[in-house]
Amino acid sequence: MSATTVGFQTAQYFTVAAMAAVVFDYCLTLPQEVQLIWGKKWGIVRVLFTLTRYATLMGTAMTTYSAVTDRLDYTSCATFDSVSYGSHLISIITAEGLLIFRTLAFWHQSKKLRVWLLVFAAFCIAAAVGVSNVVSSVTVTNPPGVNSTNCVFENGGKGGAIQYGFLIIHELVLMILTIYKKFSFYKGTQGRLATILYHDGMIYMTCIMMASFANVLITLFVPETYTDILDAPQLVIHGVLASRILFNLRHESHQSDSAIINGISPIADTRTPGAHSVAFVNTNPGIVEG
């Protein structure tokens, strides 16, 4: 068995494993989705959640199909690959959107920070997609004898490392903002919602940065047949963790009559009429929240 075959098969195994993981997680968390999401008022957070949840399933399924199906006899797979790429992009962008809302909740819905984060996110998306497309168009070539119909399970080139690099930068900025707020305002706070916002967010961002860094190394330094090895797994990590953060937050607010702050109600509000709402208490004297 050649090294090329081993590389493709390894990437296929990881892709199928990611598909199994996301389906398993969906089955486990469907009751939570029904209880905590379905029947609630539609808003930006629910839209982002729905897109994240189901674009992840769609993107992983399409990647798995391309990995396990022999498509060498197909005339063209450009449309299929475009839809697959679009579902990946939507899943990751909307998952990052949920993380931005979580960060804004931690910052008590600061209007200045909201504008700054949205502009920064738009810049990262445009730069990641634009620069990587330019790099891929310059560096990707099809040697003689290589299928040129886009119907083979292979990575688009080294430009993918650029997208993961911008993702790392975005996650790092949100992590710094979260850590700063934790120790400047929430130090000494004992509310469970504040703890969930911080701990779940840190776990999510750490996992995404580790997966993105691994993807950068794989894209740049390993043989090209291995470059898709973490493509589907990273998509699943985004979708699963983003969904579970929202589930945890809404479950906690649902269990308590008075543990939710007005500032986080867009992502945590599952209250029934008559429920109480209080803010997290700042136990750091001398710090005034603006």
Side-chain angles (χ1 to χ4, degrees), residues 103-104 107 109-118 177:
T103 304
L104 288 173
W107 278 75
Q109 300 296 337
S110 168
K111 293 182 179 180
K112 291 182 180 179
L113 183 64
R114 181 188 298 124
V115 172
W116 189 89
L117 285 180
L118 290 176
L177 288 171

Side-chain angles (χ1 to χ4, degrees), residues 14-271:
F14 272 78
T15 301
V16 172
M19 185 69 216
V22 73
V23 170
F24 181 66
D25 178 79
Y26 180 80
C27 293
L28 285 179
T29 57
L30 182 58
Q32 291 177 275
E33 180 179 349
V34 172
Q35 178 187 6
L36 302 173
I37 305 297
W38 292 9
K40 306 301 179 183
K41 183 179 179 180
W42 279 95
I44 183 62
V45 171
R46 185 177 177 186
V47 171
L48 290 174
F49 165 82
T50 302
L51 289 174
T52 299
R53 179 89 153 165
Y54 292 97
T56 297
L57 282 168
M58 179 178 175
T60 308
M62 296 184 74
T63 301
T64 303
Y65 177 82
S66 67
V68 302
T69 304
D70 184 2
R71 302 186 296 163
L72 293 179
D73 294 332
Y74 290 18
T75 303
S76 175
C77 295
T79 301
F80 179 92
D81 289 344
S82 295
V83 174
S84 178
Y85 176 75
S87 63
H88 280 239
L89 202 60
I90 290 172
S91 174
I92 291 176
I93 289 174
T94 52
E96 291 299 295
L98 286 174
L99 185 61
I100 288 175
F101 270 88
R102 188 211 61 81
T103 304
L104 288 173
F106 210 59
W107 278 75
H108 293 260
Q109 300 296 337
S110 168
K111 293 182 179 180
K112 291 182 180 179
L113 183 64
R114 181 188 298 124
V115 172
W116 189 89
L117 285 180
L118 290 176
V119 171
F120 179 65
F123 167 78
C124 287
I125 294 169
V129 175
V131 176
S132 64
N133 285 342
V134 171
V135 172
S136 295
S137 65
V138 172
T139 59
V140 175
T141 58
N142 290 313
V146 175
N147 185 286
S148 59
T149 64
N150 291 330
C151 292
V152 292
F153 181 58
E154 61 183 9
N155 191 276
K158 302 299 183 182
I162 296 174
Q163 295 183 357
Y164 293 123
F166 276 103
L167 183 58
I168 292 173
I169 293 172
H170 186 257
E171 297 287 344
L172 186 60
V173 168
L174 295 182
M175 178 178 282
I176 291 172
L177 288 171
T178 300
I179 294 174
Y180 171 78
K181 194 65 171 179
K182 168 66 176 178
F183 290 99
S184 66
F185 183 79
Y186 289 102
K187 187 177 182 180
T189 299
Q190 298 179 356
R192 279 186 54 80
L193 282 178
T195 302
I196 289 174
L197 278 171
Y198 178 74
H199 286 167
D200 284 4
M202 293 300 293
I203 291 172
Y204 174 92
M205 290 181 283
T206 300
C207 290
I208 294 301
M209 285 195 293
M210 291 176 62
S212 299
F213 185 68
N215 259 316
V216 170
L217 295 180
I218 290 172
T219 302
L220 294 178
F221 300 112
V222 305
E224 290 188 1
T225 53
Y226 288 89
T227 51
D228 273 330
I229 195 171
L230 290 181
D231 183 30
Q234 172 138 6
L235 182 66
V236 170
I237 291 173
H238 268 280
V240 168
L241 292 184
S243 298
R244 283 183 174 267
I245 286 177
L246 186 61
F247 290 151
N248 288 346
L249 188 59
R250 291 203 165 184
H251 175 74
E252 176 60 27
S253 65
H254 184 73
Q255 294 298 312
S256 175
D257 289 334
S258 59
I260 186 168
I261 185 173
N262 287 328
I264 69 169
S265 58
I267 57 176
D269 192 2
T270 59
R271 291 171 290 166

